Amino acid sequence: MRTVEENQQPLLVGLDTHSRLTDLSSRAIEEFLEHPPVALRWWPRLVAWESRLLWILSGSSIIVSIFNYMLSFVTLMFCGHLSALELAGASIASVGIQGLAYGIMLGMASAVQTVCGQAYGAKQLPAMGIICQRAIILHLGAAILLSFVYWWSGPILVAIGQSEEIAEQGQIFARGIIPQLFAFAINCPQQRFLQAQNIVNPLAYMSVGVFILHILLNWVVVFVVDYGLIGAALTLSFSWWLLVIIYGLYILLSPKCKKTWTGFSWKAFKGMWPYFKLTVASATMLCLEIWYNQGLTLISGLLPNPTISLDSISICMNYWNFSLQFMLGLSAVASVRVSNELGAGNPRVAKFSVFVVNGTSILISIIFSAIILIFRVGLSKLFTSDTDVVEAVLDLTPLLVVSVFLNGIQPILSGVAIGSGWQDVVAYVNLVCYYIIGFPVGCLLGFKASMGVAVLKAADRLDKSANEGNSDLVSA
């Protein structure tokens, strides 16, 4: 009888240490993994092969996600150096008002990626431009409705229990970013339209360039010209419109988009209702997660000393969201890798990809956690010079570190479930963990037990642990 090593022998040539990783194929790895156990000496080559594919797919996408998020991140940093009250107002508007729109827009945009990706794979290239236009029309319609929420954000924030001082500053900031809302409505479909064609490197260059300019503009407008909070908001809007213009010029002028963008067409208005239903389904799943984190910040404004509470948890959530952008890039790649390999009939490679991407995300989370622990004082002072706020952030740092670590696992497992076609399961898991477990526990302990803002982060940690466990069952 042939041994396992003998069965694997014809397949070992591609894994020889002198061969190139680019010469290996998924089918060869699948056949190799069909004969366990795999000798220990082959695992480094297998991990290197999978890691290479992961980073080729995710590198530029992560850069785009991080630097686009950093536009708001930097704006809040400048607002924090105006005063603690203005940081609280900008934070509550950014999370409670702007975040509401982000959840809807990003959820709707995921439908663009799905439909455009299918059209690109089916070689129906002209249809991609029609889909992008249809998405922009729906996004702009949503932006018009949401703009009323932005304009009347002051009374809305007061109605949900925020102090009048914070609500007033929040309204100033929210009204200043209304133009950004419309820019975001156009940019979301543009970005997904390009990504569906595997055009990601140019997007990374554009995002980095606009981000550098954004820092300079914020310094000039906020401190040199002294336009304060409204100046910071308008600068954020300007930077997003700059992204829209650059993306638009690339789509119109690049030879890579010649076959996918054939000009504006009335066909975009046909089939609007089926596409609208798809965007609603996509938005629901993502909003469940995004709005939960906004809710934590909103209820922190109802605690005693709301300015300190809002500022401290806002700073923590900004660093948490920064790490999230990195993980969302890996999550998207995990989804693509799993779906591609399952579609190609390579279940063992798909399972191996899950292990590699989770190991990668855990390593990155450990690095992020270490940075937060080592530089916790300096990171706080990037946002504010108020000693009370800095002390409050230091108290929250241990809980933030745990949340950041768990945040490196949960999105990846969700991405795996999505790649397996289980979006409805992910939605139910999010609903139970975030709204039935995490949110009520945080409210009870934060208000009834008078444990303050720290317990809100603890509830977030508890929720992520539960979400991780549920997602693990799904991926299994």
Side-chain angles (χ1 to χ4, degrees):
M1 180 178 294
R2 291 171 61 87
T3 65
V4 171
E5 187 71 20
E6 290 173 336
N7 285 329
Q8 290 178 331
Q9 194 64 40
L11 304 171
L12 300 184
V13 178
L15 288 173
D16 184 82
T17 54
H18 299 291
S19 65
R20 295 185 305 172
L21 294 177
T22 52
D23 295 333
L24 301 177
S25 67
S26 294
R27 175 49 57 185
I29 301 298
E30 177 70 20
E31 293 176 0
F32 182 72
L33 294 175
E34 285 179 352
H35 303 88
V38 176
L40 184 62
R41 67 181 182 274
W42 300 118
W43 285 112
R45 294 286 289 172
L46 291 170
V47 171
W49 174 78
E50 179 63 33
S51 297
R52 174 182 171 274
L53 293 178
L54 288 173
W55 286 109
I56 287 175
L57 290 171
S58 65
S60 295
S61 296
I62 290 172
I63 291 174
V64 172
S65 181
I66 287 178
F67 279 92
N68 285 354
Y69 169 73
M70 286 291 286
L71 296 177
S72 295
F73 188 89
V74 166
T75 298
L76 288 179
M77 286 172 58
F78 276 92
C79 292
H81 288 282
L82 292 171
S83 73
L85 178 61
E86 286 172 300
L87 174 59
S91 298
I92 201 69
S94 179
V95 175
I97 305 300
Q98 186 185 37
L100 171 70
Y102 271 30
I104 294 173
M105 296 292 183
L106 288 175
M108 293 174 66
S110 64
V112 182
Q113 196 163 5
T114 299
V115 182
C116 277
Q118 292 174 354
Y120 188 74
K123 305 300 181 183
Q124 298 177 358
L125 303 184
M128 295 182 66
I130 304 299
I131 295 165
C132 182
Q133 294 173 52
R134 186 177 298 147
I136 290 175
I137 293 169
L138 286 177
H139 277 71
L140 287 175
I144 292 173
L145 296 176
L146 288 168
S147 64
F148 291 99
V149 178
Y150 277 59
W151 188 259
W152 299 107
S153 56
I156 292 173
L157 292 173
V158 172
I160 61 176
Q162 305 299 321
S163 69
E164 291 187 5
E165 294 82 2
I166 292 177
E168 181 182 358
Q169 298 300 316
Q171 180 172 275
I172 293 173
F173 189 84
R175 289 182 175 181
I177 58 175
I178 289 178
Q180 187 260 358
L181 170 64
F182 287 88
F184 195 68
I186 300 173
N187 180 262
C188 277
Q190 284 179 325
Q191 184 175 325
R192 272 62 180 184
F193 169 76
L194 292 169
Q195 287 177 335
Q197 304 171 65
N198 297 317
I199 300 174
V200 288
N201 288 339
L203 301 186
Y205 299 140
M206 297 174 198
S207 296
V208 173
V210 171
F211 170 71
I212 294 172
L213 179 61
H214 181 69
I215 296 175
L216 177 62
L217 288 175
N218 263 286
W219 177 74
V220 172
V221 172
V222 176
F223 294 124
V224 177
V225 186
D226 197 23
Y227 277 2
L229 191 62
I230 186 63
L234 291 174
T235 300
L236 180 61
S237 295
F238 174 81
S239 295
W240 272 99
W241 270 106
L242 191 58
L243 276 175
V244 169
I245 293 170
I246 296 174
Y247 279 24
L249 289 175
Y250 185 89
I251 291 171
L252 292 174
L253 303 177
S254 174
K256 294 182 179 179
C257 299
K258 186 176 180 179
K259 294 182 179 180
T260 55
W261 181 268
T262 56
F264 294 98
S265 173
W266 289 103
K267 293 180 181 179
F269 291 94
K270 296 181 180 179
M272 188 70 77
W273 178 247
Y275 183 79
F276 172 74
K277 291 190 291 184
L278 178 61
T279 61
V280 171
S282 300
T284 300
M285 185 186 71
L286 191 60
C287 285
L288 286 173
E289 182 166 351
I290 292 178
W291 288 350
Y292 170 79
N293 296 303
Q294 296 163 2
L296 288 180
T297 303
L298 286 173
I299 64 174
S300 69
L302 306 180
L303 293 167
N305 201 345
T307 300
I308 301 298
S309 298
L310 269 174
D311 286 350
S312 59
I313 199 171
S314 174
I315 292 172
C316 289
M317 293 301 291
N318 269 283
Y319 285 117
W320 182 87
N321 280 319
F322 180 84
S323 68
L324 177 64
Q325 304 309 310
F326 210 102
M327 298 309 167
L328 286 177
L330 287 176
S331 174
V333 172
S335 177
V336 170
R337 289 289 297 133
V338 170
S339 59
N340 285 350
E341 296 300 347
L342 288 178
N346 300 322
R348 292 173 181 82
V349 176
K351 184 177 181 179
F352 178 66
S353 178
V354 172
F355 285 113
V356 173
V357 72
N358 271 290
T360 303
S361 66
I362 290 172
L363 179 61
I364 294 171
S365 296
I366 292 173
I367 294 173
F368 278 141
S369 300
I371 291 173
I372 291 172
L373 278 175
I374 295 170
F375 301 104
R376 55 189 180 275
V377 176
L379 293 175
S380 301
K381 290 184 176 179
L382 286 176
F383 280 88
T384 182
S385 55
D386 189 305
T387 55
D388 291 334
V389 177
V390 173
E391 287 295 327
V393 173
L394 292 179
D395 291 338
L396 288 172
T397 299
L399 295 174
L400 172 63
V401 167
V402 175
S403 294
V404 167
F405 177 76
L406 293 177
N407 192 52
I409 303 173
Q410 183 266 330
I412 307 302
L413 294 176
S414 294
V416 172
I418 292 171
S420 303
W422 296 333
Q423 289 93 330
D424 54 341
V425 178
V426 177
Y428 286 125
V429 169
N430 286 344
L431 178 63
V432 171
C433 293
Y434 286 124
Y435 296 94
I436 297 180
I437 299 176
F439 203 80
V441 169
C443 290
L444 285 173
L445 296 179
F447 293 97
K448 295 297 184 182
S450 301
M451 296 176 68
V453 70
V455 78
L456 299 179
K457 290 299 293 179
D460 182 48
R461 178 186 61 179
L462 171 66
D463 167 67
K464 287 192 176 301
S465 299
N467 208 342
E468 174 195 343
N470 281 281
S471 296
D472 199 18
L473 291 175
V474 170
S475 62

